[in-house]
Amino acid sequence: MSEPLVFHYDIDGEDFISAGQASIQIKKNLRRIGLSPEIIRRVSIAMYDGEINMVIHAKGGTADVMLYEDRIEIILADKGPGIENIEQAMQEGYSTASDTVRSLGFGAGMGLPNMKRYSDKMTIDTTVGVGTTVTLVINLI
Amino acid sequence: MKIKDLKELLDAEVLCCEENLGRHLYSACGCDLMSDVLAYVKDQGALLTGLVNPQVVRTAVMMDLVCIVFVRSKVPTEDIVELARDNGIVVLTTGKRLYEACGILYSNGLGVKATKE
């Protein structure tokens, strides 16, 4: 199999207002490649929620989107506080976000559940005090 | 329903992408919580909200929404409008409240049936 096409983004954690720029960019890139609107939407929503999460909880991180022939993999890595209780974090409505974040329309406890909803496979590798890496796979066939 | 019908029904002012007023709408959601908007994908929809920040536009872009209506006479800043313009999303502002605006659109048939016109 040929090497995947890789898009790398650094997610700036300082500014919530600019969060989502990488997701807009990936959406444009995938459109240019000519993937189906449904796939593009799933990838960009999942990544947007991931991006918002990294800005809210981890002061930013990196996002790598790898386009294989049969799937798209999104690897979201941060050096944030880690997730203490993954089961709790996966519950819709559970959130540890600040009131500031909530006043901006996020922090409703839908981030990880949405990422799972829009991907075919999600794995979370997290260590408290070290960071979190979320890997999302979206099948193309 | 077309976006221009929505504009008339809500007595709304167009802030950008007037050239797209002829696009069809098949659904709408009224929400200030962008996380919730992201949880429910609808094709060619409108987002009605009282929340004003760039994340509203980014959420609309991710969801392939075609129209954003700011309610309660809220007017977004130029950078927010510019972001919407870049993405071809029609931005409107109406003096109506969220509940009333949604009610008017629903009673005129928007989103009542899941099938396309």
Side-chain angles (χ1 to χ4, degrees):
Chain A
M1 181 177 282
S2 57
E3 289 287 303
L5 190 58
V6 181
F7 299 98
H8 175 83
Y9 301 94
D10 291 312
I11 312 297
D12 180 4
E14 296 302 312
D15 180 14
F16 183 78
I17 294 300
S18 66
Q21 284 174 340
S23 304
I24 295 234
Q25 200 52 50
I26 197 69
K27 185 153 194 165
K28 284 180 180 166
N29 288 339
L30 295 182
R31 270 195 192 135
R32 215 167 288 144
I33 290 165
L35 295 176
S36 78
E38 178 62 24
I39 292 287
I40 295 173
R41 189 157 54 198
R42 288 173 59 201
V43 169
S44 53
I45 295 171
M47 177 152 155
Y48 183 50
D49 261 313
E51 209 181 325
I52 295 278
N53 263 354
M54 286 199 285
V55 175
I56 291 176
H57 299 291
K59 295 184 178 148
T62 57
D64 288 281
V65 179
M66 280 157 292
L67 180 58
Y68 293 89
E69 280 172 31
D70 61 339
R71 70 191 186 280
I72 291 175
E73 276 188 28
I74 308 170
I75 299 175
L76 303 152
D78 70 57
K79 295 187 169 62
I83 303 168
E84 276 183 30
N85 186 333
I86 293 181
E87 204 178 314
Q88 214 167 25
M90 284 306 300
Q91 279 174 22
E92 293 193 359
Y94 178 81
S95 176
T96 57
S98 67
D99 286 348
T100 312
V101 167
R102 288 169 202 262
S103 73
L104 289 163
F106 289 89
M110 297 301 285
L112 285 171
N114 271 354
M115 288 156 76
K116 187 171 186 184
R117 175 177 286 136
Y118 291 113
S119 59
D120 291 303
K121 190 181 166 202
M122 175 166 98
T123 47
I124 302 174
D125 182 9
T126 185
T127 308
V128 172
V130 178
T132 301
T133 299
V134 178
T135 305
L136 303 166
V137 179
I138 289 155
N139 294 329
L140 296 176
I141 33 179
Chain B
M1 183 183 292
K2 289 184 176 176
I3 300 177
K4 67 178 178 190
D5 302 321
L6 173 148
K7 173 190 176 292
E8 298 301 321
L9 287 166
L10 300 183
D11 194 17
E13 184 191 336
V14 183
L15 300 181
C16 77
C17 296
E18 195 148 10
E19 67 278 12
N20 291 338
L21 284 178
R23 293 181 78 172
H24 279 282
L25 293 169
Y26 300 106
S27 64
C29 62
C31 198
D32 288 350
L33 259 181
M34 295 304 112
S35 308
D36 274 359
V37 176
L38 288 166
Y40 305 98
V41 179
K42 294 274 184 180
D43 241 9
Q44 275 185 277
L47 169 62
L48 291 87
T49 186
L51 184 73
V52 184
N53 67 46
Q55 301 304 350
V56 173
V57 180
R58 294 206 183 94
T59 299
V61 173
M62 298 310 153
M63 303 300 287
D64 295 323
L65 301 178
V66 293
C67 172
I68 298 169
V69 183
F70 291 104
V71 297
R72 301 192 290 275
S73 300
K74 296 196 176 185
V75 179
T77 51
E78 186 49 39
D79 58 322
I80 297 176
V81 176
E82 189 57 39
L83 188 57
R85 191 179 287 123
D86 274 354
N87 289 282
I89 297 172
V90 181
V91 176
L92 301 138
T93 178
T94 175
K96 300 199 186 308
R97 295 175 186 186
L98 183 58
Y99 178 76
E100 187 187 4
C102 292
I104 291 170
L105 296 179
Y106 190 84
S107 59
N108 279 278
L110 181 60
V112 179
K113 287 181 183 174
T115 50
K116 292 196 174 186
E117 286 173 28

